[in-house]
Amino acid sequence: TQLLEQSPQFLSIQEGENLTVYCNSSSVFSSLQWYRQEPGEGPVLLVTVVTGGEVKKLKRLTFQFGDARKDSSLHITAAQPGDTGLYLCAGTITAGNKLTFGGGTRVLVKP
Amino acid sequence: GAVVSQHPSRVICKSGTSVKIECRSLDFQATTMFWYRQFPKQSLMLMATSNEGSKATYEQGVEKDKFLINHASLTLSTLTVTSAHPEDSSFYICSASSGSNQPQHFGDGTRLSIL
C-alpha cells in the first residue's frame, strides 16, 4: 500500500473534456506537489501547495489541497492533446524536502 | 535557473558491467541530491539521499553495495550500478536541492538497459 494513493491510474478522454485526478493519504503532508512527466524525461513541477484548503490555478489546471492536508486534486478544463502525460503527486511529511510519490495517473487526451 | 543535468541519457551494456551515471546541478549548489528508479508505467521510487561530503542514506530494500553513490562536490553526484544485471534495467532519475527546505529539481533521467 502506497502512502499516497492516486486515482484513477489511467484516464482516456477526448479533446475538450474535463478531467480530475485525485491524490489521497491517511497522513498529513506539510506540502504537496504535482508533476507532469513525459516518456523518457524527468518530472516537471507544476505546482506546490502548502496551506490546507489552498486552491491554485495554472491556466486550465486547478489544484486544490484538502483542508486537513491529507488529499489533493488536479482538475484540467477543456483538455488538449498536449496535456497527455503521467501526472504525479508527491508530498513531504516531515520538515525537509524528502518526497513520497503517488503511483501516478496516466492521462491520454485524444484529438 | 535551477537546471539539473544527467549523463548519459541512455546506456546499453552487457550483464556484469558497472555503469556510472552523473548528476550535475548547473547553476546552483546542491547540498542534497536524490536518486530515484522508475520501472515502466510506474511511479518514482526513492533509492537514496546523498548529502555533500557524507555517506548516502539508502531506502529500505536498496543494496548500498550494489548502488554506489558519491556526492563529493556541491554540483556533482554519481550513481554507480555495480555488476549490473538485466533486472537492474530501469529509468534512473536524479534530483538536486539547495537546502533541506528547498524544492527538488529533477534531471531528465537515464535509461539503463542491461542485455
Side-chain angles (χ1 to χ4, degrees), chain B residues 55-72:
Chain B
K55 289 184 180 180
T57 302
Y58 290 81
E59 295 298 303
Q60 192 172 9
V62 178
E63 301 175 57
K64 61 180 181 180
D65 294 330
K66 173 76 173 177
F67 300 99
L68 301 178
I69 292 173
N70 183 280
H71 190 170

Side-chain angles (χ1 to χ4, degrees), chain B residues 8-20:
Chain B
S9 58
R10 183 172 183 117
V11 58
I12 302 172
C13 57
K14 294 181 179 180
S15 185
T17 307
S18 290
V19 179
K20 180 184 283 188

Side-chain angles (χ1 to χ4, degrees), chain A residues 21 25 36 40 60 62-63 68 70 76 79 82 96 103:
Chain A
V21 178
S25 177
R36 187 165 75 96
R60 292 177 294 102
T62 302
F63 305 86
K70 293 183 178 181
I76 301 180

Side-chain angles (χ1 to χ4, degrees), chain A residues 32-45:
Chain A
L32 194 138
Q33 297 165 346
W34 284 93
Y35 295 83
R36 187 165 75 96
Q37 184 184 24
E38 300 202 31
E41 298 182 8
V44 175
L45 179 66

Side-chain angles (χ1 to χ4, degrees), chain A residues 35 37 40-43 86 88 95-99 101-104 106, chain B residues 34 36 38 41 43 46 59 91 93 97 99-102 104 106-108:
Chain A
Y35 295 83
Q37 184 184 24
E41 298 182 8
L86 178 66
L88 298 158
N97 61 355
K98 180 177 172 181
L99 288 173
F101 277 86
R106 199 163 295 278
Chain B
F34 302 84
Y36 297 84
Q38 185 177 31
K41 297 186 178 181
S43 187
L46 180 64
E59 295 298 303
F91 193 53
I93 305 173
S97 171
S100 60
N101 288 314
Q102 298 301 311
Q104 296 183 30
F106 287 84
D108 277 341

Side-chain angles (χ1 to χ4, degrees), chain A residues 11-56:
Chain A
L11 200 53
S12 178
I13 60 172
Q14 292 296 134
E15 182 177 3
E17 293 181 341
N18 302 331
L19 69 96
T20 303
V21 178
Y22 300 93
C23 181
N24 295 290
S25 177
S26 57
S27 299
V28 176
F29 287 87
S30 56
S31 70
L32 194 138
Q33 297 165 346
W34 284 93
Y35 295 83
R36 187 165 75 96
Q37 184 184 24
E38 300 202 31
E41 298 182 8
V44 175
L45 179 66
L46 297 174
V47 77
T48 298
V49 286
V50 297
T51 305
E54 184 176 5
V55 177
K56 281 192 174 179

Side-chain angles (χ1 to χ4, degrees), chain B residues 1-65:
Chain B
V3 178
V4 175
S5 174
Q6 224 175 301
H7 180 80
S9 58
R10 183 172 183 117
V11 58
I12 302 172
C13 57
K14 294 181 179 180
S15 185
T17 307
S18 290
V19 179
K20 180 184 283 188
I21 302 170
E22 293 186 349
C23 181
R24 293 181 185 273
S25 57
L26 299 186
D27 50 3
F28 68 100
Q29 293 188 326
T31 56
T32 307
M33 287 188 171
F34 302 84
W35 287 95
Y36 297 84
R37 182 167 51 184
Q38 185 177 31
F39 291 109
K41 297 186 178 181
Q42 293 187 23
S43 187
L44 280 70
M45 296 297 294
L46 180 64
M47 299 174 66
T49 303
S50 73
N51 292 296
E52 185 265 337
S54 59
K55 289 184 180 180
T57 302
Y58 290 81
E59 295 298 303
Q60 192 172 9
V62 178
E63 301 175 57
K64 61 180 181 180
D65 294 330

